[in-house]
Amino acid sequence: MIESTYLYRCYGLTILSEIHCPELEESSPGQEPDVRIKLAPVPESLLNPRYTGYKCEADDSSLLIRTDRFAKLLITGGNQILVQEREGAHDYEIRTLLLGWGLGALLHQRGIFPLHASAVGMDQKCLAFCAPSGAGKSTLAYAFLKRGYRLLDDNIAALKPGLKTPMVFPGNPEVKLWGNDLGDLTHENSRLRPLLRESGKFALKARDHFQRDPQPLIRIYMISRGGSPTPRITRLKGREAFQALSENTFCARFLRGMGQPAKHFDMLVRLADQVPVFKLEFPVDSLSPDELRQMIEDSLRRA
Amino acid sequence: MGAVALDSVVTRCDDIVAGVVDADLIMMSIENGKYYQLNPSAGRVWSLLEQPRTVTEICQMLSKDFKVTPEACQKDVLHFLDELVSRNVVTIR
């Protein structure tokens, strides 16, 4: 039985959810929901999948995500996510799956481009940082927040192509950090919650540092630890920029599964053409997050 | 399928999408998800193939753009089209 529902705002969408997601920003009441999240039985398999991939299956309208320990999700038509929890799964584990892969798939269905990046904004513009999982995009975003920038999201930069510049839509007001990054944390609002069992990662609430309006994306940085013996920032052009964005598309396999590779391709070409893409390389353990942040700010000033 | 000849009619394959980023022409096969990148002169050949054309026609049009004789560019064009055929980017008949 459903006791209550919750209304949230995330990636430019109003979401009506039967699952309580304290990490999301609440929406003002009375908004017509774009997306519904419901607790309901989800089949183990689609009837006629056109694609079967890692923990997922797809047909033209739906994507099924299935993990052994957490949940099954059925994402349909860009406006509905059905969730069936696995026995013994923790609420926060289910939400990590739902708000990561689940919303990622939904964004793909809606034609919003989920770049696997953290994004921070200042003065009506924003920057996005791509890095492999665990390589520091949240930590770098956090370094910018401490300098007065505002967080748009620490994992998915939800992009809608514009006429000239794509816009990033705000996601979750949270930064996910490793336990050892939290040493200097003094912020009063620093309520932490663990992310996945034994992952050593925590989520830090950043509501006071959250950017609630979409911002134009002016630069994308590819963070490459160990990429160069000396720290440097270089511009990627043409094929290189395209390739970098392609590799950093969040859950790109979902798009292939849903039979939309041409749409994805067009979006990549448009993005690579509209937003300058840079590669930030530095030797392993040579620069602190604050020094990286400084290097990026310096290069922005020179531009 | 034989090699590309001067009188071959070259047609783009339906499953190829293409776009330009910083003057690089990038193409993708919808079928297998693979990307291809073309240099600007190869990109010019691709844009000429907006409609099916013979190799002779393509070389005549290229010779106007690049200030070479049609004969001089035939070898390069044939070689390039062979490669596109082998990658299922264009077909010939």
Side-chain angles (χ1 to χ4, degrees):
Chain A
M1 212 186 87
I2 304 308
E3 290 175 353
S4 51
T5 53
Y6 306 86
L7 202 60
Y8 300 114
R9 189 88 191 140
C10 185
Y11 302 132
L13 305 169
T14 301
I15 302 173
L16 183 69
S17 176
E18 293 176 3
I19 295 179
H20 180 47
C21 301
E23 50 278 82
L24 294 185
E25 180 88 339
E26 280 172 26
S27 167
S28 42
Q31 299 285 318
E32 187 59 29
D34 303 298
V35 178
R36 286 164 206 273
I37 297 174
K38 297 177 184 173
L39 288 162
V42 172
E44 282 295 320
S45 199
L46 294 174
L47 275 180
N48 289 307
R50 51 174 290 153
Y51 170 86
T52 304
Y54 178 65
K55 294 189 196 292
C56 72
E57 284 181 9
D59 62 25
D60 285 340
S61 63
S62 296
L63 189 92
L64 174 72
I65 296 171
R66 190 179 47 213
T67 75
D68 296 336
R69 281 172 52 199
F70 302 157
K72 288 180 287 183
L73 309 177
L74 186 66
I75 302 110
T76 304
N79 58 20
Q80 177 175 277
I81 304 180
L82 302 184
V83 183
Q84 183 175 3
E85 306 170 352
R86 296 286 194 198
E87 214 179 302
H90 287 291
D91 289 350
Y92 61 80
E93 293 173 325
I94 296 160
R95 293 201 307 271
T96 299
L97 184 69
L98 170 67
L99 303 180
W101 287 5
L103 286 184
L106 184 108
L107 292 177
H108 279 309
Q109 286 179 347
R110 296 187 76 96
I112 300 170
F113 187 95
L115 185 67
H116 193 192
S118 61
V120 295
M122 168 90 100
D123 300 336
Q124 295 301 309
K125 51 187 185 281
C126 73
L127 312 171
F129 309 114
C130 298
S133 286
K137 55 182 182 306
S138 297
T139 316
L140 183 58
Y142 182 50
F144 275 90
L145 297 197
K146 288 191 290 186
R147 286 280 292 183
Y149 279 71
R150 291 189 161 264
L151 181 72
L152 285 130
D153 199 86
D154 94 327
N155 193 46
I156 298 176
L159 290 166
K160 275 191 205 169
L163 283 178
K164 280 185 178 159
T165 314
M167 303 292 282
V168 177
F169 282 75
N172 302 353
E174 271 195 347
V175 193
K176 293 169 210 75
L177 298 169
W178 298 95
N180 54 6
D181 288 332
L182 297 168
D184 61 342
L185 200 67
T186 51
H187 196 266
E188 50 183 290
N189 200 10
S190 58
R191 294 213 346 255
L192 298 173
R193 67 177 182 86
L195 269 183
L196 293 173
R197 260 178 271 183
E198 291 150 25
S199 74
K201 233 177 170 182
F202 295 87
L204 166 69
K205 293 215 185 305
R207 288 196 202 281
D208 296 347
H209 303 272
F210 191 49
Q211 173 63 51
R212 288 175 175 78
D213 303 312
Q215 300 289 312
L217 178 61
I218 58 157
R219 281 187 176 203
I220 300 171
Y221 291 91
M222 304 289 153
I223 311 295
S224 172
R225 268 175 82 197
S228 156
T230 47
R232 63 176 184 202
I233 296 177
T234 43
R235 175 88 187 260
L236 300 180
K237 298 208 81 173
R239 176 186 56 84
E240 289 180 323
F242 174 89
Q243 179 85 25
L245 296 177
S246 168
E247 286 167 2
N248 285 283
T249 304
F250 188 73
C251 290
R253 69 183 192 285
F254 293 169
L255 262 186
R256 283 197 292 279
M258 292 185 290
Q260 299 178 324
K263 246 168 92 180
H264 182 210
F265 179 85
D266 287 343
M267 203 97 95
L268 285 171
V269 167
R270 241 174 116 180
L271 264 184
D273 213 42
Q274 288 186 339
V275 188
V277 180
F278 293 85
K279 189 171 186 180
L280 169 57
E281 301 168 285
F282 54 97
V284 179
D285 295 332
S286 63
L287 294 178
S288 69
D290 279 325
E291 288 168 323
L292 282 180
R293 190 259 309 141
Q294 188 67 54
M295 203 172 145
I296 292 169
E297 282 193 307
D298 290 345
S299 84
L300 279 170
R301 258 192 298 278
R302 282 196 303 271
Chain B
M1 195 190 297
V4 183
L6 286 177
D7 60 352
S8 302
V9 178
V10 187
T11 308
R12 287 179 181 178
C13 289
D14 286 343
D15 88 312
I16 298 293
V17 287
V20 177
V21 181
D22 301 322
D24 283 353
L25 181 73
I26 298 165
M27 304 191 300
M28 185 191 71
S29 155
I30 294 175
E31 202 60 47
N32 62 21
K34 280 192 183 146
Y35 297 124
Y36 309 103
Q37 186 215 346
L38 303 186
N39 63 36
S41 50
R44 177 72 185 132
V45 175
W46 176 260
S47 64
L48 290 175
L49 289 173
E50 203 155 356
Q51 49 177 292
R53 293 182 194 279
T54 64
V55 178
T56 307
E57 264 183 287
I58 294 168
C59 292
Q60 277 167 357
M61 298 173 97
L62 282 179
S63 65
K64 289 176 199 149
D65 297 348
F66 292 99
K67 293 194 177 99
V68 289
T69 63
E71 293 71 27
C73 71
Q74 275 170 9
K75 195 176 144 228
D76 288 344
V77 171
L78 283 171
H79 178 75
F80 167 64
L81 289 173
D82 268 334
E83 192 176 317
L84 291 191
V85 169
S86 71
R87 290 168 185 252
N88 295 318
V89 172
V90 300
T91 57
I92 52 165
R93 63 182 157 81

